[in-house]
Amino acid sequence: MGLLMSQDDFARAIRDAGSRAGHPNDANKRLVQRWESGTIATPRPVYARALESVTGLPIEALGFTFPVPQARVSGDNHGGHDVDNLPTGIAATSRTGQPRPAQRGNHSGVWLSRYEYFSSGRDGTFVGLHYVTVIQHGDRLTVRSLPGSSDSPLTMDLTVDGNVVTGTWVEQTSPESYYRGARYHGAIQMLAEPTGRRMVGKWVGFGKEMDVNTGPWELIFQEGSTDRATLERYNRRPEPE
């Protein structure tokens, strides 16, 4: 699975993820072997959710397939429709096979992460850009940067309460960067716009001299699909501003 875990450790992580989410499972070494060998191509939903939680990747990007179930569609009295109960983290497709845009209430997809920070050492304000995958399970969002989008991996673990998004972030800077591989982390709070295409807020964290800093951070929706082709398309550095 590429996580530097033994099969026993990975199975344990899957069980722990299920327990934390309130959906216990019985993952074991033999099941992990069957996933890796391709004997099981379509894991049960309880395992699919745990796999996404542990790896930070959508189920399709792990080489599995997953059927798209029927969704309940209700009118919103404004000429549109809301889709409920779609499995989070699994891309819905239209009858033409094209990815649907993110549905209101489900933020799963590919987003552009943009934040600003002041560097006292370089005496200026700089911008950090990453393409990230957002995987939603209930009210929790798991955010992971695509490896090709930056030399400094970024992760965020967020909780959604209405249009309020709150959580933590971690960035491991590149050893070749100005920050020489330093690991930074902090808290973040954003507001999700009603369109579901943008989250805007602020981060708080510490600086090199252990001072507490803050700055703007936004996530900008790119695509609702998280299939392998989409991730490959965004596995690159965002265009600089």
Side-chain angles (χ1 to χ4, degrees):
M1 295 293 178
L3 296 178
L4 301 181
M5 292 184 183
S6 69
Q7 293 173 334
D8 281 325
D9 288 341
F10 189 77
R12 186 179 303 109
I14 293 294
R15 294 196 301 272
D16 290 345
S19 296
R20 287 195 303 270
H23 300 287
N25 63 69
D26 299 317
N28 54 36
K29 180 178 179 179
R30 176 56 181 157
L31 180 60
V32 174
Q33 291 173 338
R34 296 178 73 189
W35 287 337
E36 292 183 339
S37 68
T39 304
I40 297 178
T42 305
R44 290 165 46 199
V46 66
Y47 292 116
R49 289 189 291 267
L51 280 161
E52 290 183 332
S53 177
V54 171
T55 64
L57 293 171
I59 198 71
E60 300 94 329
L62 298 174
F64 296 114
T65 59
F66 207 89
V68 178
Q70 296 295 319
R72 185 175 72 252
V73 180
S74 58
D76 60 6
N77 297 322
H78 296 286
H81 294 83
D82 294 330
V83 179
D84 300 325
N85 297 335
L86 282 176
T88 57
I90 298 170
T93 56
S94 66
R95 292 182 180 179
T96 63
Q98 296 299 314
R100 297 187 189 276
Q103 299 292 335
R104 185 166 59 190
N106 185 348
H107 300 290
S108 296
V110 176
W111 296 67
L112 173 65
S113 167
R114 180 189 185 279
Y115 65 84
E116 297 180 18
Y117 64 99
F118 179 79
S119 172
S120 57
R122 292 182 285 175
D123 192 26
T125 299
F126 297 86
V127 175
L129 296 171
H130 298 76
Y131 282 122
V132 300
T133 58
V134 176
I135 305 299
Q136 182 167 355
H137 290 297
D139 63 352
R140 295 185 178 275
L141 304 181
T142 300
V143 182
R144 301 288 184 266
S145 62
L146 293 173
S149 71
S150 174
D151 292 333
S152 300
L154 170 70
T155 64
M156 303 167 74
D157 292 297
L158 309 171
T159 300
V160 181
D161 183 2
N163 68 328
V164 179
V165 182
T166 306
T168 59
W169 60 271
V170 177
E171 184 169 3
Q172 180 68 51
T173 63
S174 169
E176 287 76 36
S177 72
Y178 172 81
Y179 296 100
R180 299 178 182 273
R183 181 176 182 269
Y184 292 99
H185 55 86
I188 185 170
Q189 189 163 63
M190 296 184 288
L191 295 176
E193 294 184 349
T195 61
R197 301 186 67 85
R198 193 162 173 257
M199 303 181 203
V200 182
K202 288 191 174 184
W203 61 268
V204 62
F206 62 90
K208 288 181 67 176
E209 299 178 1
M210 298 306 293
D211 49 345
V212 177
N213 300 316
T214 187
W217 201 324
E218 64 179 339
L219 294 176
I220 305 166
F221 176 76
Q222 305 295 303
E223 287 195 36
S225 172
T226 53
D227 62 19
R228 182 172 297 179
T230 300
L231 298 188
E232 289 176 353
R233 190 161 62 250
Y234 285 95
N235 192 29
R236 56 180 172 80
R237 293 181 182 273
E239 294 293 331
E241 300 177 336

